[in-house]
Each structure stands twice: as C-alpha cells, then as structure tokens.
Amino acid sequence: MELFLQQTVNAFALGGTYALLALGLAVVFSIMGLINFAHGELMTIAGYVLMYCGLAGISFVFAVPLALLASTFAAVLMERVAFRPVRNSSGATMLVTSFAVAMILQVLFQNLISVRSQPVLLPEALSGSIMIGGLVIGVNKLVAIISTVIMLIFLDRFLSKQKYGIAMRAAAEDFAVARLMGIRANTVIAGAFAISGLLAGVAAILWVSQRASVDPLMGFTPVLKAFIAAILGGLGSLRGAVAGGFLLGFIEIYLAAFLPPALQEFRDPIGLGLVVLVLLMRPNGLLPAASLKAEKV
Amino acid sequence: MKKTLLTTGILAMALSGSAYADTLKVGVATAQTGALAHYDGPVVEGLQMGVDEINAAGGIGGTLKIELVQKDVRSDAAQTAIATQELVDAGVKVLILPCDADPSLAAISIVDSAQVPAISTCASSPTLPMIGGDYMFANFPGDNVQATVSAQWAYDQGMTTAYIVYSPDTQYTSMPLYFADVMETLGGEVVGKDTYTLGQQDFSAIATRIANMDPQPDVVMTSAYEPDFPSFIKALRAAGVTSQVIGSDGIDSPTTFAIGPAADRLVFTTAGHPTENSAMAEFNAKYKETYGEESQTVFNAIGYDLAKVIEAASLAAGPDATSQELRDAIANLENVQGATSLITYKGTNGMPVREVTLIGVMDGKRQLIGQPSPNPAIIPAPKMQ
C-alpha cells in the first residue's frame, strides 16, 4: 500500500509536468489551430537562462523569474516573426512552420552556445526529500506538484475572470464571431503565445531541475509527450490537456512500477497501446473541445 | 595513340603518387551534433590537437602530413553510413567513426568492402570489432573490461548485493549485464534488474522500487549517461536510496561534477586520469595552452590517442602504405603511448588493451580511486545483449 501511494505521488509529479506541457500546446491550438512543435525550444531557452544565471552567480530565486520572462518573451516573438505571416494559411503550413522554427532555434543553440550539454547549477534544497505521513517525497516532486496546482488555478482564474482570458475563450470557441464582437485578433493570439511561453518556462524549470543539464535538442522529448497528452485529452481543449497530461503520467509511472520484470522492456509500446485504446473508445479525446464535437477523427 | 595513353597514365600515376606521399587522408565521420556530440565533440578537439602537433613537426616521420576530412553524422546511424561512403569515395586511407557502437555498426559493410581501417572514437562495446570484422577497431577500454574492474572493486569493498539498471536500446547501455555476470562469478548476488529507455526523463518509479527493498542493495550499477544519468541519481537519492552507485565512462563529463550532493560517493570507470607526471597530465597542460581552458573530460585525451595510433600505424607501414597495409599495422600495434594509457591492438580482435581508471566523485571533485588491472579469468566474453 505504501509503495502504491509512493508511486502515486510520483505519477502526480510527472503527470503535472506533462499537464503543463500539454496546456502550453493546447492554449495556442485552441485559438489558432496550430500545434507548435517549437514549444520544446521555448523550454530550452528557459533552460539556458537558468544555466547562464548559474554561471553569472545569480541566485536561483532570481533566475526562475528571469527564465519565465525569457520563455514568455520568446513565445511572443516567435508568434510575431514566424507565425503571424502564415496565420491564415492551412494547418499544414503552420505545422511545417513550427518545425522550421524548432530546427532553426536548435541550430542557433548549437552554433551560438554549444553542441554539448551544459550543466545547470541547482540549489541543493531541490535534491533533498522530506517525509510526509510515512512517504518519502522528493523536494522537486513536491515543487512540481505545487507549481502545477498554482499554474492551473492561475489559468482557470485568468480564463474565467479576466477580460483577456474571456476574450481568449471566446476566440477559441469561434474566432470569426469573436472578432465581430470587437476582440482584436493580434492581442488574443499574442496573449495565447505569452501564456504558452509561461507554461513552457514553468515546465522547463521542473524538467531541468531533474536532469541538471541543458542541451540544444532537449526540447524534443517533452514536446512529444505534450503532443501525446494533448491528443489523449482532446486537442484544443484545455481541461482535456490537463486530463491527458495526468493520464499519461499515471500510465507511464504505474507501468514502470507494477509491470512484471519480464515485460518491462515493452513498457513504452504497452503505454502507447493504452493511449490508442483510450482513443479508440473516445476518438476526440477524454474531454474534447466544443468546436470538435461534430467531427469524428 | 597508345603511347599517349601510356604517358598520360604514367603521368597521372606519378602525380597522384606524389600527392599521396605527402599527406595521409583521414576521414572523420563523427557526431558533432546530436546526442553523441558530448563525446565526439571533445574527441575531435583532442584529435585535431594531436594532428596539428604531428603536422607542425613536419608530419608523420617528418614527411607525411595528416589531412583530416571531416563530416558531421548528427548522431544518426543512416547518416554515418552516408558520410562513410562519401569519405571512402574521397579516397581516405583511415576512417574515424562515431562514439557509439550502433552508428559505427551502420558503416560496417562500407568499411569492409572498401577495406579501409575504421576506428570508432570512443565506442566501448566489445561487440563492435567482433561484428565489424577485420577492419573495425575500437579506441576505448571495453564494456566487459570496465564492468569487471568496477564489480571487482565493489566486491573487494564488501558489497555483495547488486541492483542493475540498463537499457536494451544500445550496446553500451547494456553494460550492467556484464557487471551482473562478474558480480555473480565473484560470489555476489544480483537482487534486481530494471530497464529504462534512452532519453527517459523520469526515474522515480525505479527509484521508489529500489528504496522499498529491504535491505537495500549494496550497490546500484548503471551505464546511463547524459541526460538520463543525472535524473537517475537525483531520483534515487531523493527516494532515500543510500547504496553505492557505480557508473561508467559516459558520465565522465562536467555535468556529473555539477550535480551536487546527490552525486557524492559516486564511482565510475573511465579511460584515464592525470596523475602527476603522467602522459595525460602533460596532455592536459598542452590542451590548456591550445584552447585556453582546462580539459573538462577524458574524451579530449581519447582524441589525442587516436592521432597517436594513426601515427604509429603509419610509421610502421611506411608513407606509401595502402589502406590494407595500414589495417595490418594497426592490428599489430603494441604499447603505443597515448595521452590516457599505453595502447595495444596486437593479439586482440580490435578491442584495444588499455588501462581502466576508477574515479570517485567527492564534493564535486574528481578523485582517483585506482587503476587496477582486471583479472582476465573473470572478464565476461563479449555478447550481443
């Protein structure tokens, strides 16, 4: 039982990180219909800011907001430079653009920073662990869970109470009608990118605090997981992205924890098989977006 | 007409002959980007340094300059095969292949049919030359030898129960299976095995499983490398596992020494250590002079070793040697003084005999534990995992 609880805590921490990642993709997708594969590179940017802050001797307490600022700013810039010119093009054009942005950024990191991974100095407190009710919980797990909860509450408040948040929800539901109501397209889309950049930054800090290094290609794995989670939850639905992220985290951890040793090698295919199974039963994802209701994928 | 052809032929031969006599073309198909760049990047720095040094002294034997023809294979197996073919077509006499058995294996058929000797920069899987055939060489202490050294050390320290975490994704990451073999041969017990996927970010499930064992294993061995290894050891320590952790050469990088308290008491095997007045200390001093900063990893010195091996083989085979003659010369090299160790290929199948060094991490600093000679009787035979 204790082992089960312990693994559940692990699953919450990993699922929370996936949820933040998937939300980042979903926020942009819900409004623009773009799956931004350069989302991972926003994480890399936040990671490099943490690294440079460590080198410059800036305390982690200040490094974190700087990293969040950097990824938010980079996301807005990305929209302005790369995605605005293709905003009205087909989904495929935007998808290819996002791949191009990702590759260009990776090459820039490789040439301007280093092809090799760079160590990131982290506060020692993050590596420790504490006892809660007989469970040993790693501090960075706890931080992951807490920051996921904070981000989710913040996002929920923002989308339901704030003017810009409501505008974004309206745009997500029907962009054309929202524009007729006087909502500025540029503002809403830039806002969506800013939020996705902020989410990427938070996820990057959690991600980097586990691996302790940054390298130019580190964004690929997380964006892939986020993509799976977003599809699983229902593409374009924010609640779905959160649900998909948590479900993916739970699947991964429980399989790693409780699959018999002989089957452990097949953990990944079994995990993805479960994802396919869920999609067979719910083709539009766990909590599909309203706009997708009529379509069967 | 016939006469003209003949003269042109002779002229062409004379021209190409003289061109070949002045330079030894070495094809370098390594991963300068992607996951293996952590290793191939530093290796090529060291190789370039060695080559520059040899060329500055007039070349091999004072006459034969080394020309490096470089291609980036982006840590990709298919790209390695393409680059190798291009280099063979460009007429290189020796090939340098990436730092992992898997991409190097992708080039085997090309290497074999072109009969050009190929040396992997730092692949350590003993299966590489075994599968690769006569023309494939490695440049690193084998996985089975490294595992023998670390298992023997652990056993001698009184650690008798071992837990291994390996990945079947590559030859190298299955090194812990050799460790398990040696541990059992010595009389120890392997109490658990776990697998992971390359690039796996989260090790908390495995860490929790080990933490919940009663008693915890004496030693946890893995050959995971960046970025997996830091995640692994941090998860392990955060879950409350206090066992000795043993790693291998893949974690000989600055990140490992920056992990902090979680990596304290970590022990890993690698290819060398700059003890006082050693060849490696001399190399590190030269490195600092050339690049203006301290060498951060043993893979710089490993690259320099490559230059020395090529120089020694070319000296033995003569300046006009064909690639086949160079292959035979490499296979017969004995006690070449490299930066990390003495290197011997004679009597092996292409996996060199080199020193293995045990390094301990203490407060983020590198500490030499020892450079023991492995007991040949207990070294496991190379096997495909």
Side-chain angles (χ1 to χ4, degrees):
Chain A
M1 188 59 198
E2 197 192 305
L3 182 64
F4 180 77
L5 283 179
Q6 190 86 57
Q7 297 290 19
T8 306
V9 172
N10 293 337
F12 264 112
L14 183 65
T17 313
Y18 287 165
L20 291 181
L21 283 165
L23 257 180
L25 285 190
V27 163
V28 169
F29 184 86
S30 66
I31 290 174
M32 274 183 90
L34 156 75
I35 298 169
N36 184 10
F37 272 94
H39 194 70
E41 278 53 50
L42 297 173
M43 292 178 68
T44 316
I45 289 173
Y48 277 124
V49 171
L50 284 184
M51 173 201 101
Y52 279 118
C53 285
L55 288 181
I58 297 171
S59 139
F60 199 68
V61 182
F62 297 107
V64 167
L66 279 176
L68 296 181
L69 208 64
S71 62
T72 310
F73 179 71
V76 174
L77 195 68
M78 201 183 265
E79 191 273 324
R80 186 71 192 80
V81 174
F83 295 118
R84 194 170 292 187
V86 295
R87 189 186 289 167
N88 296 318
S89 316
S90 71
T93 308
M94 289 198 283
L95 190 68
V96 173
T97 307
S98 84
F99 276 119
V101 171
M103 276 178 203
I104 290 169
L105 285 174
Q106 284 169 5
V107 171
L108 286 178
F109 299 146
Q110 286 177 342
N111 286 303
L112 301 179
I113 300 175
S114 170
V115 289
R116 287 158 60 190
S117 70
Q118 303 290 313
V120 177
L121 296 170
L122 297 161
E124 283 175 20
L126 268 182
S127 318
S129 53
I130 48 172
M131 289 282 283
I132 300 178
L135 296 178
V136 183
I137 300 178
V139 173
N140 73 0
K141 295 257 167 306
L142 207 61
V143 172
I145 294 171
I146 293 173
S147 37
T148 307
V149 171
I150 293 177
M151 284 309 291
L152 293 183
I153 293 175
F154 159 76
L155 209 62
D156 188 63
R157 282 292 149 90
F158 177 78
L159 289 175
S160 58
K161 299 275 189 310
Q162 290 291 314
K163 193 173 93 182
Y164 285 111
I166 296 169
M168 279 169 61
R169 276 196 305 147
E173 206 144 297
D174 195 325
F175 203 16
V177 174
R179 289 184 77 178
L180 289 174
M181 299 292 137
I183 291 171
R184 290 174 61 96
N186 284 350
T187 317
V188 168
I189 291 178
F193 269 90
I195 287 185
S196 113
L198 180 67
L199 288 164
V202 175
I205 290 162
L206 300 175
W207 202 259
V208 169
S209 78
Q210 277 194 347
R211 48 178 276 154
S213 67
V214 274
D215 67 67
L217 308 180
M218 68 170 260
F220 178 71
T221 312
V223 88
L224 193 68
K225 300 280 186 191
F227 183 57
I228 297 172
I231 298 271
L232 185 62
L235 208 48
S237 138
L238 302 190
R239 283 173 208 285
V242 175
F246 276 107
L247 183 60
L248 186 64
F250 272 85
I251 290 178
E252 285 190 359
I253 292 284
Y254 281 157
L255 285 180
F258 301 116
L259 214 57
L263 287 175
Q264 281 291 344
E265 263 184 55
F266 308 103
R267 194 170 53 231
D268 289 350
I270 293 174
L272 290 175
L274 287 176
V275 170
V276 171
L277 204 67
V278 172
L279 289 177
L280 277 178
M281 290 186 291
R282 295 187 67 85
N284 284 334
L286 292 172
L287 303 168
S291 53
L292 268 179
K293 211 167 256 170
E295 296 171 39
K296 280 273 179 283
V297 183
Chain B
M1 185 61 197
K2 234 179 201 171
K3 216 173 181 181
T4 340
L5 263 181
L6 200 68
T7 1
T8 6
I10 291 171
L11 200 68
M13 264 169 74
L15 276 175
S16 67
S18 67
Y20 274 99
D22 294 335
T23 59
L24 175 70
K25 247 191 186 181
V26 177
V28 186
T30 55
Q32 294 307 307
T33 50
L36 293 175
H38 311 314
Y39 310 104
D40 277 352
V43 168
V44 169
E45 271 177 15
L47 171 67
Q48 188 72 52
M49 227 180 98
V51 166
D52 288 348
E53 203 179 288
I54 292 166
N55 286 347
I60 300 171
T63 53
L64 184 68
K65 295 238 162 100
I66 301 177
E67 182 194 349
L68 297 181
V69 187
Q70 299 211 39
K71 294 211 183 281
D72 177 18
V73 303
R74 309 195 299 256
S75 307
D76 182 64
Q79 191 59 34
T80 306
I82 295 168
T84 306
Q85 184 64 59
E86 286 172 356
L87 289 170
V88 165
D89 292 345
V92 301
K93 291 255 187 95
V94 180
L95 278 162
I96 310 277
L97 294 180
C99 185
D100 197 22
D102 296 76
S104 295
L105 287 173
I108 284 181
S109 60
I110 299 160
V111 167
D112 220 42
S113 59
Q115 302 197 313
V116 174
I119 314 176
S120 161
T121 54
C122 43
S124 55
S125 310
T127 46
L128 173 65
M130 201 172 85
I131 306 167
D134 289 346
Y135 283 84
M136 191 69 91
F137 296 91
N139 179 43
F140 212 84
D143 289 344
N144 49 350
V145 180
Q146 288 192 50
T148 307
V149 167
S150 54
Q152 180 82 59
W153 175 82
Y155 192 76
D156 291 348
Q157 298 288 313
M159 303 169 202
T160 52
T161 54
Y163 197 101
I164 60 167
V165 180
Y166 68 100
S167 169
D169 293 355
T170 66
Q171 295 286 303
Y172 173 69
T173 47
S174 55
M175 187 196 297
L177 294 171
Y178 289 122
F179 184 90
D181 286 352
V182 180
M183 211 54 186
E184 279 169 349
T185 313
L186 287 169
E189 193 191 346
V190 178
V191 291
K193 291 182 183 182
D194 249 314
T195 56
Y196 71 97
T197 317
L198 280 196
Q200 180 169 326
Q201 168 75 9
D202 191 275
F203 285 90
S204 55
I206 295 177
T208 300
R209 182 166 27 241
I210 301 176
N212 273 274
M213 290 176 79
D214 193 25
Q216 285 185 6
D218 294 333
V219 53
V220 178
M221 199 274 174
T222 182
S223 56
Y225 53 94
E226 274 181 72
D228 309 340
F229 181 78
S231 300
F232 172 68
I233 195 161
K234 283 166 76 102
L236 209 56
R237 295 305 185 217
V241 178
T242 51
S243 313
Q244 172 70 49
V245 175
I246 293 184
S248 55
D249 61 274
I251 56 170
D252 192 347
S253 82
T255 310
T256 303
F257 297 95
I259 292 175
D264 252 1
R265 283 181 57 245
L266 164 70
V267 167
F268 64 88
T269 47
T270 186
H273 184 76
T275 47
E276 226 173 296
N277 298 324
S278 65
M280 188 156 162
E282 197 186 319
F283 166 83
N284 282 355
K286 268 190 268 179
Y287 180 93
K288 195 174 175 190
E289 222 171 89
T290 315
Y291 292 103
E293 53 178 13
E294 299 282 347
S295 168
Q296 301 265 356
T297 149
V298 75
F299 292 102
N300 289 136
I302 284 292
Y304 189 83
D305 289 353
L306 273 176
K308 288 295 173 191
V309 164
I310 293 170
E311 182 188 31
S314 170
L315 272 179
D320 296 316
T322 61
S323 54
Q324 289 93 322
E325 286 164 343
L326 280 169
R327 182 260 152 212
D328 295 341
I330 297 175
N332 282 306
L333 287 178
E334 235 177 318
N335 292 330
V336 177
Q337 178 66 59
T340 55
S341 148
L342 289 175
I343 304 159
T344 297
Y345 284 98
K346 197 182 168 97
T348 70
N349 69 347
M351 203 70 214
V353 179
R354 289 165 147 271
E355 219 163 56
V356 179
T357 302
L358 269 172
I359 295 290
V361 182
M362 246 317 152
D363 299 323
K365 295 272 177 309
R366 179 187 295 265
Q367 254 179 3
L368 177 68
I369 292 183
Q371 300 181 306
S373 302
N375 171 6
I378 57 170
I379 297 177
K383 59 184 172 194
M384 286 299 281
Q385 309 283 15

